[in-house]
Amino acid sequence: MIVSRDLQLSIEGDVIIVEDDDLLSNLMMEILSDIGAGCLAFDTADDALIHLLQSHRACSLVIADHGVPGQILGTDLAKMVKEKWPEIAVILTSGHELKVSDLPSNVRYLQKPWAIDSLVSTVREVLHPHGRL
């Protein structure tokens, strides 16, 4: 277990992870599973978008790396998700500094390398913005 049991969250719906680095993708899946999330991981934003469009399952959060292979960047996916599904929380990550002003106002940015505590607290903030667990 990576995360303490007292950090468990009430997460309804899947968490979609878009990360082409297998190590980071697996780490995020383990962290999020430890805090109570059901996760699906994709290497490309293209595949994640297709899943979102075709799935009948609820999604509560998308965590996308900006620089993933494929036709769609993580930033583009973040904008599309917020336009089509405004209720889905979005966290965008990148190893390169991004201009937060270029992102939709309701997309959180988490620069790599991030600490486990930073990821967990950011997930908590976007899923429970008013402090309700």
Side-chain angles (χ1 to χ4, degrees):
M1 177 188 346
I2 291 178
V3 181
S4 169
R5 288 269 181 226
D6 62 339
L7 294 176
Q8 288 275 315
L9 297 177
S10 172
I11 300 174
E12 295 187 22
D14 292 329
V15 173
I16 292 179
I17 298 168
V18 182
E19 174 60 65
D20 61 323
D21 181 315
D22 289 339
L23 182 65
L24 279 179
S25 179
N26 291 334
L27 178 62
M28 281 192 278
M29 286 192 60
E30 187 174 346
I31 292 166
L32 293 169
S33 294
D34 279 356
I35 63 172
C39 302
L40 298 169
F42 298 92
D43 293 337
T44 70
D46 308 58
D47 291 340
L49 180 60
I50 290 167
H51 171 79
L52 283 166
L53 290 168
Q54 294 178 346
S55 178
H56 298 290
R57 294 174 53 131
C59 176
S60 59
L61 172 62
V62 172
I63 302 174
D65 180 28
H66 165 71
V68 290
Q71 298 293 315
I72 304 170
L73 292 173
T75 307
D76 299 327
L77 177 65
K79 290 175 184 175
M80 289 180 213
V81 168
K82 291 315 285 183
E83 287 173 9
K84 184 156 180 63
W85 302 281
E87 71 281 3
I88 297 176
V90 178
I91 299 171
L92 185 68
T93 67
S94 180
H96 304 282
E97 190 168 339
L98 301 177
K99 291 174 68 175
V100 176
S101 60
D102 291 342
L103 302 176
S105 61
N106 46 2
V107 170
R108 290 293 302 270
Y109 173 56
L110 186 62
Q111 186 163 355
K112 294 177 183 176
W114 39 259
I116 292 172
D117 290 346
S118 296
L119 177 65
V120 172
S121 65
T122 302
V123 167
R124 181 185 302 270
E125 289 166 13
V126 300
L127 291 179
H128 304 286
H130 306 293
R132 284 178 266 153
L133 303 176

